[in-house]
C-alpha cells in the first residue's frame, strides 16, 4: 500500500463491487468491470457475452440485462432453494462491516466539505471524493499538507469567474476569477472544535511577491502590490490560488496546509445533490441583482435559488459585503446541519450524488490531489461537532482614507487577538476539557504568583535583555514601556548571551508587587515569573530582569493568548438556526 492507504494493484475492495441500482433501489453485485465505471450507476445496454478467452480465468461472463448489473439466477421449478452466493444475502452483502466501512468513508468525506462560491457565495463542504480531481500547484505557499496529529488549516476560496453553462448572468463577465469569498478553516489539534474565519473581499492588504509555476514547469515571480483589495490576490496579474495563500499568511500569520477553490456551479450542484438546504428569513426579500425573491419565514432552497441566496446583499443588513458574509455563514451553518443529518448520511443515493457533485465542482492544491488524501482529510474533519464550529469574520473598520466608504481596513485593536487565538489553537466555544488537562499543582502555584497587590507603573524598575527575540526587540519593548505604559525606570541591557524559548521575568521577593504590575502590562503568565534575586541597574539600584525569548511577538503585543474573542467580534456556531435580517 502507498502512503495514502491505496490497495495493491489488482486487489478489489469487496464493498466496491456492491453498487446501488437507482432503478430498483437495491444494492447489486457488480463483477470486475473491463472498463472504468461511472460513480453513479445508471441504465446500461445489453451486451453480448464475451468469449471465454476474453473473460477472467475461471469465470464465465454473463450478459448484462438493461437496467441491471447482474441478473438474478433462476431456480428450476421444484428445486430446493439455492444457498446465497458467498458475501451476499439475497440482494445485499452479508458482510455488513464492508458496507459500514464504506459508509463511514462517505460520511467522513461529505462532512469535510469545501467552501463553494458564487460571486460572493461561500460554502463549506467536506467530502470523500471518488471521481474527477482537478489540482493546481501550491507553489510552496502551503505547509506541504495537513497532518493527522496536528491542527489543520484549510483555505477555502470562491471565485467570481464565469464557468459552465447557465452562469452568463452572474458576476462580472470580464472577471479573471478573483478571490470573492474566502474562508480560513482552522480545525483544532484534538478535533473538538473548529473556527471558520471569513476574509472580506474589500479588505485592504499587501499582496506579496508570488513565485508561480508556469505551464512549461518554469517558475515566474508575480510582483506583489501594496494597499489593494484582498480579492485581487487571485486572478489579477495572472495570480493563482497559491498567491491567495501567501496573502493570508502575510495578513494573519497563519500558513494554510491546503487550499480548495470553487466557482458558481459548486453551490448549485451541491445543494441539489443534498436535496436542498433549509434557510430562514426575518423579512421578505426581493433582490433584482441576485434574482432572489423569498417571503419571510423558512424555505428549502437548492440550485439557482441557493446561488441567489448567497449572492444577495442589497436586501440584507446594511447592504454591503459584510452583511452578505453574515448571510453566507448562516447558509453554511444550515448546510453543515443538513450534511450531518440522518436524512443525508443514511441515504446512499444522496451520498453518491454528493460525491459526484463535489468532485466536479472543486479544484484542490497539488498536496491534496488523490482520493486517499481527500478521504483522510474527510475522516479528520468528520470528527467535528457542529456546536463547536464557530463562524467569525476578520475584525475590520471602514477605510478612514475614503470619503465614500467602499473598502475596509484591519481593526488593529481586535484582529491580532483573533489571529492569535487561531494560531494558538484556542477554541471560540467552550469545549469540555479532559481530566488530564486539569490544573496541576505546579500550574496552580504559577497562577498564584499573579495574585496580590500591584505597584504603580511608575514604581516598576526593570532592565530588558534580548534572549532570543529578533534584533532590536529589547529597545522596541523599552520604548513601548516608557512611552505607552509609563514604566520610566527601565533600561535596555543588551543581549542576554543565551537563547530562551519563553520570556522570563526574574525578581526578588520584595519586588513581587512590581512583577505583578509588569506581568499585567505585558500579559505575562504566572509561569513566566521567576522568583529569585534582583540585580543592580546602571545606577546601582536593585532591579528586576525581563529576558525576551523567542515567543516575543513585538513591542506591546501580549504574551498571553486570549481565551475568548474580544468584545464586539461577530461570531456564531453552526448548530444554531438564525434568520437573515
Amino acid at each position: 500500500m502507498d502512503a495514502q492507504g491505496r490497495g495493491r494493484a489488482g486487489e478489489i475492495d469487496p464493498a466496491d463491487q456492491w453498487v446501488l441500482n437507482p432503478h430498483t433501489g437495491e444494492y447489486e453485485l457488480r463483477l470486475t468491470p473491463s472498463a472504468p465505471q461511472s460513480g453513479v450507476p445508471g441504465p446500461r445496454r445489453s451486451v453480448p457475452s464475451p468469449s471465454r478467452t476474453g473473460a477472467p480465468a475461471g469465470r464465465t461472463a454473463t450478459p448484462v440485462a438493461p437496467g441491471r448489473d447482474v441478473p438474478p439466477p433462476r431456480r428450476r421449478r421444484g428445486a430446493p432453494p439455492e444457498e446465497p452466493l458467498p458475501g451476499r444475502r439475497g440482494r445485499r452483502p452479508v458482510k455488513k462491516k464492508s458496507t459500514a466501512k464504506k459508509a463511514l468513508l462517505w460520511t467522513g468525506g461529505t462532512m469535510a466539505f469545501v467552501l463553494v462560491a458564487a460571486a460572493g457565495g461561500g460554502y463549506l463542504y467536506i467530502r470523500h471524493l471518488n471521481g474527477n480531481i482537478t489540482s493546481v500547484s501550491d507553489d510552496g505557499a502551503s505547509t506541504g499538507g495537513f497532518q493527522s496529529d496536528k491542527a489543520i488549516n484549510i483555505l477555502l476560496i470562491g471565485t467570481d469567474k464565469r464557468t459552465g453553462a447557465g452562469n452568463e448572468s452572474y458576476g462580472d463577465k470580464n472577471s479573471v476569477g478573483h478571490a470573492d469569498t474566502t474562508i480560513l478553516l482552522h480545525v483544532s489539534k484534538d478535533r473538538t472544535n473548529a473556527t471558520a474565519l471569513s476574509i472580506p473581499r474589500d479588505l485592504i492588504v499587501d499582496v506579496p511577491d508570488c513565485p508561480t509555476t508556469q505551464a512549461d514547469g518554469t517558475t515566474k515571480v508575480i510582483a506583489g502590490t501594496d494597499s489593494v483589495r484582498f480579492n485581487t490576490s487571485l486572478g489579477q496579474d495572472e495570480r493563482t490560488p497559491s498567491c491567495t495563500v501567501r496573502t493570508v499568511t502575510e495578513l494573519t500569520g497563519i500558513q494554510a496546509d491546503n487550499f480548495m477553490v470553487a466557482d458558481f456551479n459548486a453551490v448549485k450542484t451541491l445543494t441539489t445533490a443534498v436535496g436542498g438546504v433549509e434557510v430562514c428569513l426575518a423579512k421578505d426579500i426581493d433582490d433584482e441583482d441576485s434574482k432572489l425573491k423569498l417571503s419571510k419565514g423558512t424555505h428549502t432552497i437548492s440550485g439557482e435559488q441557493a446561488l441567489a441566496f448567497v449572492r444577495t446583499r442589497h436586501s440584507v443588513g446594511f447592504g454591503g459585503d459584510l452583511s452578505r458574509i453574515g448571510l453566507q455563514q448562516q447558509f453554511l451553518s444550515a448546510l453543515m446541519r443538513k450534511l450531518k443529518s440522518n436524512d443525508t448520511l443514511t441515504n446512499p443515493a444522496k451520498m453518491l450524488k454528493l460525491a459526484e457533485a463535489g468532485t466536479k465542482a472543486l479544484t484542490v492544491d497539488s498536496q491534496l490531489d488523490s482520493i486517499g488524501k481527500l478521504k483522510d482529510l474527510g475522516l479528520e474533519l468528520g470528527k467535528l461537532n457542529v456546536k463547536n464550529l464557530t463562524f467569525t469574520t476578520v475584525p475590520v473598520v471602514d477605510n478612514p482614507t475614503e470619503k465614500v466608504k467602499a473598502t475596509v481596513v484591519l481593526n488593529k485593536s481586535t484582529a491580532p487577538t483573533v489571529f492569535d487565538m487561531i494560531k494558538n489553537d484556542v477554541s471560540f466555544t467552550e469545549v469540555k476539557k479532559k481530566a488530564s488537562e486539569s490544573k496541576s499543582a505546579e500550574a496552580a502555584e504559577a497562577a498564584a504568583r499573579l495574585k496580590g497587590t500591584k505597584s504603580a507603573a511608575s514604581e516598576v524598575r526593570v532592565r530588558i535583555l534580548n534572549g532570543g527575540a529578533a534584533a532590536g526587540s529589547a529597545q522596541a519593548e523599552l520604548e513601548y514601556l516608557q512611552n505607552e505604559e509609563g514604566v520610566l525606570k527601565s533600561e535596555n541591557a543588551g543581549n542576554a548571551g543565551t537563547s530562551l524559548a519563553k520570556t522570563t521575568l526574574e525578581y526578588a521577593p520584595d519586588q513581587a508587587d512590581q512583577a505583578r504590575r509588569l506581568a499585567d502590562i505585558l500579559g505575562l503568565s504566572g509561569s513566566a515569573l521567576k522568583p529569585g534575586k534582583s540585580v543592580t541597574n546602571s545606577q546601582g539600584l536593585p532591579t528586576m530582569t525581563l529576558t525576551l525569548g523567542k515567543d516575543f511577538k513585538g513591542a506591546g503585543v501580549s504574551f498571553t493568548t486570549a481565551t475568548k474573542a474580544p468584545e464586539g467580534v461577530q461570531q456564531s456556531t453552526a448548530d444554531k438556526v438564525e434568520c437573515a435580517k
Side-chain angles (χ1 to χ4, degrees), residues 205-366:
V205 298
D206 293 338
V207 177
D209 293 343
C210 300
T212 306
T213 303
Q214 303 299 295
D216 60 2
T218 61
T219 298
K220 173 184 176 182
V221 177
I222 300 175
T225 50
D226 294 341
S227 300
V228 294
R229 278 180 165 88
F230 174 83
N231 68 343
T232 61
S233 65
L234 176 65
Q236 199 79 13
D237 300 324
E238 300 183 341
R239 292 182 178 124
T240 63
S242 65
C243 195
T244 303
V245 173
R246 294 184 194 278
T247 305
V248 171
T249 302
E250 185 93 358
L251 172 70
T252 67
I254 303 166
Q255 187 177 19
D257 299 308
N258 299 99
F259 64 76
M260 298 180 179
V261 186
D263 59 19
F264 291 125
N265 291 308
V267 62
K268 295 194 293 185
T269 56
L270 182 72
T271 53
T272 299
V274 81
V277 174
E278 188 176 275
V279 297
C280 180
L281 298 177
K283 63 179 181 181
D284 295 345
I285 290 183
D286 188 355
D287 187 347
E288 293 183 1
D289 290 335
S290 68
K291 301 177 178 60
L292 179 67
K293 186 173 183 178
L294 287 175
S295 60
K296 175 182 177 180
T298 301
H299 301 269
T300 298
I301 59 176
S302 63
E304 296 284 348
Q305 196 172 42
L307 178 58
F309 182 88
V310 297
R311 292 187 63 245
T312 191
R313 60 172 174 166
H314 299 302
S315 300
V316 293
F318 296 104
D321 186 53
L322 295 179
S323 297
R324 180 169 57 181
I325 286 176
L327 189 74
Q328 292 165 1
Q329 292 173 349
Q330 293 170 25
F331 179 85
L332 284 169
S333 296
L335 177 59
M336 292 299 294
R337 291 193 297 271
K338 183 61 177 284
L339 291 173
K340 288 277 285 184
S341 70
N342 287 334
D343 177 55
T344 300
L345 300 181
T346 61
N347 188 323
K350 191 172 290 186
M351 297 297 284
L352 285 170
K353 289 180 181 179
L354 282 169
E356 185 73 11
T359 55
K360 290 181 178 180
L362 302 168
T363 296
V364 300
D365 69 85
S366 50

Side-chain angles (χ1 to χ4, degrees), residues 12 15-22 28-45 47 64-65 67-70 129-132 352 355-356 359-360 371:
I12 299 174
D16 286 329
Q17 295 180 282
W18 288 91
V19 182
L20 179 73
N21 188 327
E28 298 176 351
L29 180 65
R30 172 176 289 173
L31 300 180
T32 306
S34 58
Q37 303 296 313
S38 168
V40 181
R44 302 176 64 189
R45 298 179 179 177
V47 295
V64 180
R68 305 189 64 88
D69 291 299
V70 178
L129 301 177
N130 191 26
N132 309 322
L352 285 170
E356 185 73 11
T359 55
K360 290 181 178 180
I371 292 174

Side-chain angles (χ1 to χ4, degrees), residues 405-555:
K405 304 303 180 184
T407 62
V408 293
V409 296
L410 212 60
N411 184 332
K412 294 184 178 179
S413 66
T414 54
T417 301
V418 171
F419 300 154
D420 197 48
M421 288 178 66
I422 295 175
K423 281 188 288 186
N424 289 282
D425 208 19
V426 177
S427 175
F428 279 63
T429 60
E430 292 186 12
V431 180
K432 187 176 181 181
K433 295 188 176 183
K434 299 177 182 178
S436 59
E437 297 175 353
S438 60
K439 284 188 176 181
S440 64
E442 183 179 351
E445 182 181 351
R449 295 172 194 148
L450 298 174
K451 297 179 180 179
T453 59
K454 302 180 181 71
S455 66
S458 59
E459 296 303 315
V460 173
R461 185 178 288 111
V462 61
R463 65 180 193 137
I464 306 172
L465 296 172
N466 190 331
S473 294
Q475 183 62 29
E477 190 75 332
L478 173 68
E479 293 174 0
Y480 165 75
L481 288 174
Q482 291 183 342
N483 299 331
E484 303 293 334
E485 299 294 346
V487 182
L488 302 179
K489 297 177 181 179
S490 52
E491 66 180 28
N492 180 356
N495 291 323
T498 185
S499 181
L500 301 177
K502 300 287 186 180
T503 295
T504 62
L505 175 62
E506 186 175 3
Y507 58 96
D510 61 350
Q511 296 172 318
D513 56 346
Q514 294 183 46
R516 285 190 286 268
R517 172 57 65 192
L518 191 58
D520 183 59
I521 291 172
L522 299 180
L524 291 171
S525 65
S527 60
L529 273 57
K530 305 297 181 185
K533 61 182 181 179
S534 64
V535 296
T536 56
N537 62 12
S538 59
Q539 298 175 335
L541 299 173
T543 183
M544 301 184 295
T545 300
L546 176 67
T547 306
L548 303 178
K550 294 179 180 179
D551 61 338
F552 179 73
K553 304 169 186 174

